[in-house]
Amino acid sequence: MSGSGARRGKAFVISAPSGTGKTTICHKLLAQDPQLRFSVSHTTRPPRPTETSGIDYHFVDEAEFERLIASGSFLEHARYTGNLYGTSYAAVESSLDDGIDVLLEIEVQGAKLVRDARFEAVFIFLLPPSLDELDVRLRGRGTDDDAVIRKRLAEARSELSMAEVFDYAVVNDDLDTAVEQVQQIIRAERSDETDEVKARYGREGVVAEWRKGAEKG
Ligand code: 5GP
């Protein structure tokens, strides 16, 4: 394919601890960028009222998911809060072959699996302003009780400990600013002019700075 001269799409993997605002950021990125297509994952989680099969997820039962694992259909899959989630090769390859960039919104273990598989992708980690702020946001949702929130915060800490998987990190303090920063990374990666974004949003520097100022509790 590389000999054809046609541009192959790029894959962008975006992960974040639960409550960071990842889904909102991904929706905005997709709405503003026709060159970016969402990778529709498979999951065994039941659909939420607002979700449509084939658009938000391919909703399948455990037996079907296991069959897809056995047939080697997944680039990665992971269990998260009791349900299975996976990115099929089909969800990414046809877009990439068509020269369209693909956005994988997946949790951190899945991102690590994509990295370990040496799948070519740009890995972007979103951070909450601080763990205290994440606690406030999770409580503000009003959907989870105290025990669940404590579990999610513990999960967030363990996800933060896997930050080295990522190339870039962006702090979601202000939503529009975070979206703009991720767009800068995407634009730079598309044009292969990444020196500036690596200096600004390189994961190592951002996470070190974040830990200095923001990791509390
Ligand atoms: P939710 O159930 O809230 O839609 O998603 C739960 C978590 O699973 C989120 O962190 C979401 O990004 C992640 N997720 C969605 N699709 C995939 C996937 O294909 N693979 C992995 N590993 N995680 C996924």
Side-chain angles (χ1 to χ4, degrees), residues 61-75:
D61 60 20
E62 291 251 351
E64 173 65 2
F65 202 101
E66 294 294 343
R67 198 189 61 72
L68 290 165
I69 296 173
S71 63
S73 302
F74 287 122
L75 164 60

Side-chain angles (χ1 to χ4, degrees), residues 14-16 18 22-23 39-43 45 48 51 57 76-81 83 85-88 105-111 113 159:
I14 297 200
S15 298
S18 162
K22 174 181 52 169
T23 304
S39 159
V40 181
S41 297
H42 284 71
T43 185
R45 165 170 81 59
R48 298 179 182 134
E51 290 177 329
Y57 282 104
E76 63 77 33
H77 67 276
R79 194 174 278 279
Y80 181 83
T81 60
N83 295 301
Y85 295 84
T87 306
S88 68
E105 186 210 320
I106 62 180
E107 49 68 63
V108 177
Q109 300 169 73
L113 292 170
E159 288 173 328

Side-chain angles (χ1 to χ4, degrees), residues 7 20 24 27 31 53 67 84 107 113 119 134 138-139 142 148-151 154 159 167 171-172 174 195 206:
R7 177 191 182 272
T20 303
T24 311
H27 281 150
S53 187
R67 198 189 61 72
L84 287 162
E107 49 68 63
L113 292 170
F119 186 82
L134 190 63
L138 288 170
R139 285 177 204 284
V148 173
I149 289 171
R150 277 208 300 270
K151 193 164 157 262
E159 288 173 328
D167 302 305
V171 180
N172 182 18
D174 172 72
D195 288 356
V206 174

Side-chain angles (χ1 to χ4, degrees), residues 15 22 27 30 36 46 50 56 67 70 75 81 83 92 98 105 128 132 141 152-153 168-169 177 179 189 191 197:
S15 298
K22 174 181 52 169
H27 281 150
L30 290 159
L36 192 62
T50 54
D56 299 288
R67 198 189 61 72
L75 164 60
T81 60
N83 295 301
V92 292
D98 289 346
E105 186 210 320
D132 282 353
R141 281 178 174 183
R152 284 184 185 256
L153 282 170
Y168 297 99
T177 307
V179 170
E189 284 284 344
S191 59
V197 287

Side-chain angles (χ1 to χ4, degrees), residues 7 37 51 59 85 96 127 130 142 153-154 162 178 182 188 211:
R7 177 191 182 272
R37 197 176 288 166
E51 290 177 329
F59 295 99
Y85 295 84
L96 296 177
L127 289 162
S130 67
L153 282 170
M162 289 166 73
V182 176
R211 282 192 197 285

Side-chain angles (χ1 to χ4, degrees), residues 3 12 60-61 93 96 110 128 145 147-149 160 181 185 203:
F12 294 91
V60 295
D61 60 20
E93 290 292 356
L96 296 177
D145 64 25
V148 173
I149 289 171
L160 287 163
Q181 292 179 345
I185 295 168
R203 181 262 309 156

